[in-house]
C-alpha cells in the first residue's frame, strides 16, 4: 500500500498536479493575492490586532 507521501508525489507529477501548480503560480504572481497572503501571515504571526 502506497504511503500518503507516495500518493501526493504521484499526483504532483501527473497532469492534474501540473495544472494545479500552474494555477498556484498564476495566483502567486497576482499582486492582490500577494497582499492578501501578507495580511494573513501578519495576523498569524501575531502582528496587528489581538483578541483575548
Amino acid at each position: 500500500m502506497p504511503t500518503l507521501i507516495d500518493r501526493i508525489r504521484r499526483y504532483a507529477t501527473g497532469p492534474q498536479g501540473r495544472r494545479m501548480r500552474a494555477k498556484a503560480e498564476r495566483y502567486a504572481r497576482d499582486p492582490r493575492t500577494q497582499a492578501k497572503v501578507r495580511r494573513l501571515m501578519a495576523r498569524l504571526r501575531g502582528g496587528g490586532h489581538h483578541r483575548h
Side-chain angles (χ1 to χ4, degrees), residues 24-38:
E25 286 172 1
R26 248 193 332 273
Y27 277 124
R29 280 193 295 270
D30 186 337
R32 286 171 308 203
T33 307
Q34 290 174 4
K36 213 179 289 184
V37 169
R38 274 195 293 273

Side-chain angles (χ1 to χ4, degrees), residues 4-47:
L4 181 60
I5 300 298
D6 289 335
R7 287 165 55 192
I8 291 170
R9 196 173 291 135
R10 200 172 315 132
Y11 175 81
T13 56
Q16 284 179 308
R18 280 198 290 270
R19 273 198 299 273
M20 290 293 283
R21 186 172 161 190
K23 190 187 281 190
E25 286 172 1
R26 248 193 332 273
Y27 277 124
R29 280 193 295 270
D30 186 337
R32 286 171 308 203
T33 307
Q34 290 174 4
K36 213 179 289 184
V37 169
R38 274 195 293 273
R39 280 195 304 272
L40 182 65
M41 293 304 286
R43 205 167 46 200
L44 290 175
R45 255 181 275 160

